[in-house]
Amino acid sequence: MSRVAYVDGCYSDLRRATVPIEDRGLQFADSVYEVIALVAGQLVDFDLHLARLKRSRDGLGLPAPMTDAGLRVVLGEVVRRNRLRDGLLYLQVTRGQAPRGHAFPAAPRASLMVTLRAWTPFPGSLAAGVPVVSTDDLRWRRCDLKTTGLLPNVLAKQRAHEADAFECWMVKAGVVTEGASSNAWIVRDGSVHTHPLCDDVLGGITREVLLELAAANDIEVVERAFRPADVETADEAFLTSTSSFVVPVIAFDGSEVGTGAPGPVTCRLRDLYRNHVSGPAG
Ligand code: PDD
């Protein structure tokens, strides 16, 4: 079945969906985005994603393409037309089309594009854990905004790909900030450590929900940065993102983490998150 995309008022076959050549998202990465998981027909933590989209837009002074109610209708329609129960929904808001010039256009009209692709939540292939490598964090100073200026992330992910790793954790001023497309965590003596929120990291929605689940289940969380050397001596490590949820990290830069197998705290958090997404029976 062909995929349906939405671009500025039009639903069309994805292969024919286009954006204008002078769209500022294309020319300046002047745009923000969200990725939302669709599980059993429901968009997971939709309101949290909507709130982050607004924070990202506000950070760039980017107008809303439509009301939140309108956005809900469009996203629901994209889900309906693609006839998927499980998928990854991508939405991007750009500062729209204007003759090329760095400063904002006088009366920008934001553009909205939405796609949905088939995807399997909690695939068995990730349960056994994944290797991660590291690289310098080359990004700008507003990593808290979810913008499409992702070239350093792309290079980091390519480094992971070439090293047969799943993810690449980025290191800035001697500490791990986050992954190319995920948040980074270690477990030491039963407590869970992750970088505090600041403009060096994206406030992941999965991170946010997992912190609440940990607190509600008496798992201690320390929001403090850790060094690459701490990963090598940690009991466990894992990563979180919308597209992978909670994934055990079993090797870091070629060395085993902990026992080299998913650890008990990671597995517990993964189960808690799975229940959050699909309900206890899921
Ligand atoms: N990644 N940090 C970065 C740099 C990211 O790109 C992402 C998301 C995260 C995790 O955020 P969340 O839990 O809200 O997905 C952290 C993309 C969207 C993904 O792979 O899902």
Side-chain angles (χ1 to χ4, degrees):
M1 201 191 77
S2 62
R3 292 170 59 196
V4 175
Y6 171 90
V7 182
D8 286 337
C10 245
Y11 299 91
S12 60
D13 185 324
L14 181 97
R15 290 166 300 188
R16 279 191 283 281
T18 56
V19 293
I21 199 163
E22 288 198 308
D23 186 282
R24 291 178 62 93
L26 178 62
Q27 294 194 327
F28 295 110
D30 190 358
S31 63
V32 299
Y33 75 107
E34 281 295 324
V35 177
I36 310 175
L38 177 77
V39 177
Q42 299 297 319
L43 290 170
V44 177
D45 293 320
F46 180 67
D47 291 340
L48 297 179
H49 283 279
L50 218 58
R52 184 173 64 184
L53 180 66
K54 180 169 178 354
R55 286 199 300 279
S56 300
R57 278 198 303 95
D58 288 349
L60 300 184
L62 213 161
M66 60 180 65
T67 61
D68 280 359
L71 191 56
R72 271 173 209 275
V73 171
V74 168
L75 300 191
E77 194 57 21
V78 169
V79 169
R80 196 184 66 77
R81 291 187 187 223
N82 279 282
R83 297 189 203 173
L84 285 177
R85 300 283 296 158
D86 296 326
L88 279 182
L89 184 131
Y90 176 83
L91 79 92
Q92 183 176 347
V93 177
T94 85
R95 206 182 305 272
Q97 191 186 356
R100 188 176 184 279
H102 288 63
F104 298 173
R109 251 196 72 222
S111 281
L112 171 66
M113 48 208 81
V114 186
T115 61
L116 180 66
R117 70 172 166 87
W119 158 88
T120 307
F122 290 104
S125 56
L126 296 181
V130 297
V132 163
V133 291
S134 69
T135 194
D136 275 354
D137 191 335
L138 300 177
R139 297 174 301 160
W140 75 326
R141 287 167 55 190
R142 290 308 306 273
C143 301
D144 55 319
L145 306 177
K146 198 162 172 63
T147 81
T148 59
L150 288 172
L151 210 38
N153 309 58
V154 166
L155 296 178
K157 194 67 104 181
Q158 180 61 18
R159 180 173 151 66
H161 180 69
E162 287 170 10
D164 287 327
F166 180 78
E167 177 60 300
C168 185
W169 284 1
M170 297 179 283
V171 179
K172 181 174 180 176
V175 302
V176 173
T177 50
E178 61 182 332
S181 65
S182 57
N183 288 112
W185 309 66
I186 57 171
V187 182
R188 189 181 293 285
D189 299 326
S191 52
V192 176
H193 299 232
T194 193
H195 201 292
L197 289 186
C198 65
D199 48 22
D200 282 340
V201 296
L202 181 73
I205 302 301
T206 323
R207 175 191 183 282
E208 185 177 337
V209 170
L210 205 66
L211 287 178
E212 282 168 21
L213 291 171
N217 288 276
D218 296 322
I219 299 171
E220 193 196 357
V221 179
V222 184
E223 290 187 71
R224 189 166 61 217
F226 53 83
R227 299 165 304 161
D230 298 325
V231 184
E232 278 152 33
T233 58
D235 300 324
E236 305 173 32
F238 63 94
L239 57 86
T240 57
S241 78
T242 295
S243 58
S244 61
F245 294 153
V246 180
V247 178
V249 171
I250 54 171
F252 182 67
D253 281 340
S255 303
E256 272 189 358
V257 177
T259 62
V265 177
T266 303
C267 291
R268 175 124 190 270
L269 287 167
R270 190 173 150 84
D271 286 346
L272 289 169
Y273 196 79
R274 183 194 281 264
N275 288 349
H276 165 77
V277 167
S278 13

